[in-house]
Amino acid sequence: MHVLIIEDNPDIIANLYGFLEPLGYTLDVARNGLTGISSAVNARHDAIVLDIALPGIDGLEVCRRLRKEHRLPTPILMLTARDTVQDKLTGFEAGADDYLVKPYALPELDARLKALVRRSRQETVEQVLAFDDLRLDTSTGQVTREGQLLALTPTGYKILAILMRNAPKLILRESLEREVWGDNPPDSDALRTHIHALRQAVDKPFSKPLLVTVAGSGYRLNAAK
């Protein structure tokens, strides 16, 4: 998960890195409101952790600008020491999706971020992703096509889930690599190798191919005809 942290407190930033990175998060940091807006608009993130008390423009104004001026749909989790009902209402009115009061437990922050991203992707714990005759059950990890169970590697499963959530849209190679491996992808042939293995499992046993490579761009699922 790729998360932007807009926070100026170095101790809090260090704590977030120390807890979230080992869980597989890729983190970017902006230390003031204007830099935060620029980072949020110019790079794709799965979620934003936004402190209210920022130098320059505060987090509420950052949130308002991201929502109203830039129409940014990225889920925003607001962090603050302000804990009255009115404070929370003000945060939600500015465009925040969730609100966590300091001091907070880091495992709760992790759980809330994951819940926000699931909702933004319209996922639920029991959701079955479907495209054409392909089914991916996120609760069991089983993938079937025409009712036949497919054997996928963990990376192949992750790639297929991304493609199915976005089908039939094209997913750029760079975007797919970032979603699968964060900012540290393996060698340049790794994605091509995983796509080849995925195609062997998803398409080769069947008469109609679904997985399409768009040369020089990326990959997508295309409905069988």
Side-chain angles (χ1 to χ4, degrees):
M1 190 188 303
H2 193 194
V3 174
L4 172 63
I5 299 168
I6 307 178
E7 168 67 69
D8 68 317
N9 186 312
D11 292 331
I12 292 176
I13 293 170
N15 286 339
L16 292 175
Y17 264 86
F19 183 78
L20 295 176
E21 276 198 323
L23 296 179
Y25 284 76
T26 299
L27 303 177
D28 293 336
V29 171
R31 297 175 186 268
N32 62 64
L34 290 176
T35 303
I37 291 173
S38 176
S39 298
V41 170
N42 291 308
R44 183 188 177 283
H45 299 93
D46 296 300
I48 296 171
V49 175
L50 174 61
D51 187 30
I52 284 186
L54 293 169
I57 60 173
D58 67 16
L60 291 170
E61 182 61 21
V62 170
C63 195
R64 290 190 190 100
R65 293 190 189 183
L66 289 177
R67 295 304 194 214
K68 293 183 178 180
E69 294 180 18
H70 299 283
R71 304 294 183 186
L72 191 75
T74 306
I76 296 175
L77 173 61
M78 195 166 279
L79 301 179
T80 181
R82 305 173 189 176
D83 60 357
T84 69
V85 172
Q86 186 55 53
D87 288 328
K88 294 178 181 179
L89 290 175
T90 301
F92 287 128
E93 288 168 0
D97 297 279
D98 201 358
Y99 198 105
L100 197 55
V101 177
K102 299 176 182 178
Y104 51 83
L106 288 169
E108 181 180 4
L109 174 67
D110 170 45
R112 286 175 181 259
L113 283 173
K114 287 175 179 173
L116 283 177
V117 172
R118 282 199 303 270
R119 289 200 294 271
S120 74
R121 293 174 176 172
Q122 298 182 330
E123 295 177 42
T124 64
V125 174
E126 300 298 326
Q127 184 177 11
V128 175
L129 302 177
F131 184 80
D132 200 86
D133 55 4
L134 191 61
R135 301 288 183 273
L136 185 153
D137 190 329
T138 60
S139 65
T140 65
Q142 290 189 340
V143 180
T144 61
R145 185 171 179 191
E146 294 182 3
Q148 298 182 38
L149 188 63
L150 307 183
L152 304 183
T153 65
T155 300
Y157 177 92
K158 192 170 185 178
I159 291 171
L160 183 61
I162 294 166
L163 293 172
M164 291 183 72
R165 288 191 186 104
N166 292 278
K169 293 195 311 182
L170 173 71
I171 306 298
L172 297 179
R173 179 188 179 91
E174 294 79 8
S175 297
L176 189 53
E177 287 179 332
R178 169 165 279 187
E179 287 211 47
V180 175
W181 292 293
D183 288 334
N184 297 296
D187 64 76
S188 59
D189 288 330
L191 181 58
R192 185 181 297 110
T193 300
H194 284 291
I195 289 289
H196 174 75
L198 183 59
R199 183 174 281 117
Q200 294 294 105
V202 170
D203 282 343
K204 188 174 181 180
F206 305 95
S207 60
K208 301 175 182 178
L210 293 179
L211 180 53
V212 175
T213 299
V214 179
S217 297
Y219 307 92
R220 64 186 176 92
L221 292 177
N222 185 43
K225 296 181 181 179

